[in-house]
Amino acid sequence: MTTDTPARLLTLLSLLQTPREWPGGELAGRLGVSRRTVRRDIDRLRELGYPVQATMGADGGYRLVAGKAMPPLVLDDEEAVAIAVGLRAGAGHAVEGVDEASVRALAKLEQVLPSRLRHRVATLQAATTPLTSGDGPSIATETLTVMASTVAGQERLRFAYRAADGTESRRVTEPHRLVSTGRRWYLVAYDLDREDWRTFRVDRVSEPFATGARFAPRELPTGSAAEYLRRSMQRHSDSYDIEVAFAAPPEAVSARLPQWLGPPEPADDGTSCVLRATVSDPVDWMAVRLAMVGLEFRVREPAELVECVRGLGERLLGAAGG
């Protein structure tokens, strides 16, 4: 019989976190304890905030259900490695949906992984090559995790930076947020040497170092990092303005577009909207991104984007035999 109660509770929790119902007898057998002990352990988990549901009858048992708050997650070695590898693979590109929260999760997970598991994760990632990759430039996962940890811990970040013209510099910043545009990652931070807010393309960052020096958060001029990035792009020399009309209400369009583009403006009829934004991504990528929204749209400007969308549509129609 297992007498180490904390270890037994962790084992029980790990079993319950699999998506199935566990009969009391099977749990007792797995843990090497009596059914009565299992019932007491279930009560302890409930007291700790884990929503364990019990069903009665001959086929009854226990299962963990969704609660109002997520209690600590227990993972075995294989599960931890699988999650870390998946997060690292996605974080290497600015894939939409793998946003700052995902990178923060990766930073937390890698911080608590034992050295033997960190080595397994690194070895597995180095030995595999994805069939497809993101359209944006690749980024070292360690760069993102270091940045995410300094954002979360309000810790000053030092790094080397290469500007668009190739100029190299060293920066010391107070990092505020990481923002993904769908192709690239950007860091919004307060630059201490320049005494002003700046945006940095993460693929141009190298040698990121968490200094350990804490700072009190400053108020961002625009309120949100996404809005600050959007305005920063408006001032950028290679950016351009787009105007796209969607045959769908604003909320439906907003749900399918990255936040940094800003909210579409509702049209008078209430069933359509217009997106006006400043972007710096290549025109051909923007055409593909709009097509991926999955809603009827018409590009009004610029003319280069209109032609690119028209050409993309003709190629797709031809590929479908139309």
Side-chain angles (χ1 to χ4, degrees), residues 68-185:
K68 294 182 179 179
M70 188 182 78
L73 187 66
V74 178
L75 303 171
D76 61 29
D77 285 3
E78 299 301 324
E79 292 167 340
V81 168
I83 290 174
V85 169
L87 287 173
R88 283 170 68 100
H93 300 280
V95 180
E96 197 169 330
V98 183
D99 54 11
E100 184 197 351
S102 300
V103 178
R104 289 202 312 269
L106 175 60
K108 291 177 182 179
L109 180 58
E110 293 201 336
Q111 183 179 6
V112 299
L113 280 179
S115 58
R116 70 180 192 282
L117 296 187
R118 286 199 300 269
H119 176 71
R120 285 178 60 186
V121 171
T123 300
L124 183 56
Q125 188 176 38
T128 58
T129 301
L131 181 62
T132 59
S133 60
D135 294 274
S138 296
I139 302 169
T141 309
E142 293 75 11
T143 298
L144 281 172
T145 54
V146 169
M147 287 184 166
S149 64
T150 58
V151 168
Q154 296 174 3
E155 185 178 350
R156 287 181 178 174
L157 174 70
R158 185 171 68 236
F159 54 86
Y161 191 69
R162 174 179 51 82
D165 61 3
T167 304
E168 303 278 350
S169 61
R170 308 289 301 188
R171 304 297 183 99
V172 180
T173 65
E174 295 177 354
H176 180 74
R177 284 290 184 275
L178 283 165
V179 182
S180 169
T181 66
R183 290 187 71 249
R184 297 189 179 105
W185 284 101

Side-chain angles (χ1 to χ4, degrees), residues 239-246 261 265 274-279 283 286-287 290 297-310:
S239 63
Y240 56 94
D241 295 328
I242 65 170
E243 182 175 322
V244 184
F246 287 92
L261 283 173
E265 302 171 11
V274 177
L275 174 69
R276 296 181 177 89
T278 301
V279 299
V283 175
M286 200 65 223
L290 290 170
F297 70 94
R298 179 178 295 276
V299 178
R300 295 178 177 172
E301 57 182 57
E304 294 83 358
L305 182 56
V306 173
E307 289 303 315
C308 195
V309 169
R310 180 179 291 114

